[in-house]
Amino acid sequence: MKALIIGAAGFVGAYLIRELASAGWEVHATCLPNETITEKCGTHVLDIMNGDDISQIFDETAPDVVYHLAAQSSVSVSWKKPQLTAEINVIGTINVLEAIRAAEKKDIRTLLIGSGEEYGYIRKGACPLKESEPLNPGNIYAATKACQGMIGEIYARAYKMDIVMVRAFNHSGPRQSDIFVISDFCKQIAEIEKGMREPVISVGNLTAMRDFTDVRDVVRAYRLLGEKGRSGAVYNVGRGRAVTIQFILDTALSFAELPIEVKQDPSRMRASDIPLIEPDVSLIFADTGWCAEISMEQTVEDTLNYWREKLMAYGLSLGT
Ligand code: A2R
């Protein structure tokens, strides 16, 4: 099998390259001109706002499966830059789909990676969320991802293209940006252990329940959907078992090398926090046999160790 991963320099991309390559796939991957791809694969520079460049790469690489990861993926940036977010996530996706439609190779499967955020303000009692649950996005990022999925369904139906839509719930692991909760807690703990800050961890709402999956499980789901997913279908990708943010915090603190005080920071509390978000993941299990295997504890421990090593390397580079 031959894959082309579009937008591979981000958090998920490196893991997906490794997952596919270790399963024996030939992997090609794209990044923006200012980015680099560290994993071994065929690399190509691509901005998805340029449709001609996408077509050229498709014809050069002739992939069996295209993974479309390229996105403006931050909710907070989406509030500040709504036009840019819509351009990349909606127009960019149309550019990708148009290039696939025009490609010389006709049997290309495309995975469009969307988000659990698309469900948004969910009905009371709607969890676990089935893929058939109505979408009610609560932010610009989520709306653009819902739009991406709708456009994918239209292309699949109208042009009989082989497109699989994914709604990925919270995923985490080493190397994730510290704007996400697991990475944030682990970075703070690593900084405290290194004496870079007081032994006080700053937290937001600890009662919200969210569904977390290790990024290494998530990319395995993407591989299996590339191999076995049903054309035209939408799949939730998640653990299917939400936990409180308190549980994440307690797990992270259980690995800390010293006692740490917990302090609630009002600026980290979101007024509109939805109490519980949890997907139903029976569809992906039925079609591919996939379910999450890596424990939350493992994800948290590995992420904490990542930050410890990163700060150690940073300290060494400063000579501290
Ligand atoms: O925004 P940057 O500079 O971090 O670059 C991102 C890149 N990207 C683009 N690639 C090609 N053409 C563009 N016009 C363009 N704009 C942005 O896509 C970044 O390197 C990559 C997306 O990676 P992350 O933001 O790290 O997302 P992650 O966590 O890897 O998630 C993969 C997918 C995304 O579609 C998410 O929205 C979804 O999974 O949950």
Side-chain angles (χ1 to χ4, degrees):
M1 293 278 270
K2 200 193 289 183
L4 175 64
I5 305 171
I6 300 177
F11 171 56
V12 174
Y15 287 99
L16 183 57
I17 294 171
R18 214 175 301 162
E19 169 67 28
L20 298 177
S22 61
W25 291 41
E26 177 180 335
V27 184
H28 291 265
T30 80
C31 61
L32 287 167
N34 60 336
E35 296 179 314
T36 46
I37 291 173
T38 48
E39 301 297 312
K40 219 171 132 229
C41 65
T43 59
H44 309 261
V45 171
L46 175 68
D47 184 330
I48 56 166
M49 299 322 293
N50 188 333
D52 291 343
D53 288 356
I54 312 177
S55 292
Q56 199 184 330
I57 292 173
F58 282 148
D59 291 337
E60 271 169 31
T61 56
D64 301 306
V65 184
V66 170
Y67 288 94
H68 177 38
L69 304 183
Q72 192 304 94
S73 64
S74 154
V75 172
S76 67
V77 172
S78 80
W79 288 117
K80 291 173 204 139
K81 298 184 176 177
Q83 295 93 337
L84 178 80
T85 305
E87 271 165 25
I88 296 171
N89 296 0
V90 180
I91 305 297
T93 297
I94 293 175
N95 289 344
V96 169
L97 293 174
E98 279 296 312
I100 292 171
R101 196 157 85 85
E104 285 160 13
K105 190 172 190 298
K106 289 296 160 212
D107 55 345
I108 297 176
R109 157 159 289 199
T110 307
L111 260 87
L112 295 180
I113 311 299
S115 168
E117 287 271 346
E118 292 170 42
Y119 292 104
Y121 295 111
I122 53 179
R123 294 180 296 121
K124 242 198 179 125
C127 287
L129 297 157
K130 282 196 174 298
E131 288 83 352
S132 54
E133 183 66 21
L135 303 181
N136 192 7
N139 60 66
I140 307 287
Y141 165 75
T144 63
K145 285 289 174 174
C147 189
Q148 167 182 281
M150 287 176 200
I151 289 167
E153 289 187 55
I154 288 167
Y155 270 72
R157 216 176 307 126
Y159 302 122
K160 313 252 171 306
M161 287 167 66
D162 181 356
I163 303 175
V164 174
M165 272 72 53
V166 172
R167 294 190 192 129
F169 284 70
N170 304 62
H171 39 286
S172 201
R175 297 202 300 276
Q176 190 173 34
S177 153
D178 62 354
I179 61 168
F180 297 94
V181 68
I182 292 181
S183 210
D184 172 31
F185 288 169
C186 291
K187 184 183 179 201
Q188 290 191 60
I189 292 171
E191 285 175 347
I192 291 166
E193 288 176 349
K194 213 167 179 306
M196 293 165 70
R197 56 196 292 157
E198 294 294 302
V200 179
I201 187 165
S202 178
V203 302
N205 178 8
L206 296 175
T207 61
M209 295 184 78
R210 296 291 180 267
D211 188 86
F212 292 91
T213 308
D214 193 288
V215 63
R216 294 160 286 197
D217 272 333
V218 169
V219 294
R220 191 168 50 80
Y222 294 174
R223 173 173 63 76
L224 288 167
L225 288 172
E227 292 168 353
K228 301 179 186 171
R230 246 180 316 117
S231 183
V234 182
Y235 292 93
N236 287 335
V237 170
R239 188 179 298 275
R241 192 164 42 81
V243 294
T244 58
I245 306 300
Q246 178 78 58
F247 174 81
I248 302 284
L249 176 67
D250 292 344
T251 305
L253 289 174
S254 75
F255 294 117
E257 287 166 357
L258 70 177
I260 294 175
E261 189 189 323
V262 176
K263 196 168 166 205
Q264 216 135 27
D265 174 357
S267 73
R268 286 170 178 255
M269 308 291 279
R270 290 194 213 142
S272 62
D273 242 355
I274 299 159
L276 167 70
I277 301 178
E278 184 178 72
D280 180 311
V281 288
S282 49
L283 188 61
I284 186 169
F285 182 71
D287 285 1
T288 71
W290 180 87
C291 62
E293 287 173 357
I294 301 172
S295 70
M296 288 290 319
E297 287 82 355
Q298 191 66 59
T299 306
V300 171
E301 189 176 12
D302 290 350
T303 306
L304 178 56
N305 284 334
Y306 159 76
W307 281 111
R308 285 173 175 152
E309 282 162 27
K310 192 173 159 90
L311 295 181
M312 173 81 79
Y314 180 66
L316 285 177
S317 75
L318 293 178
T320 57

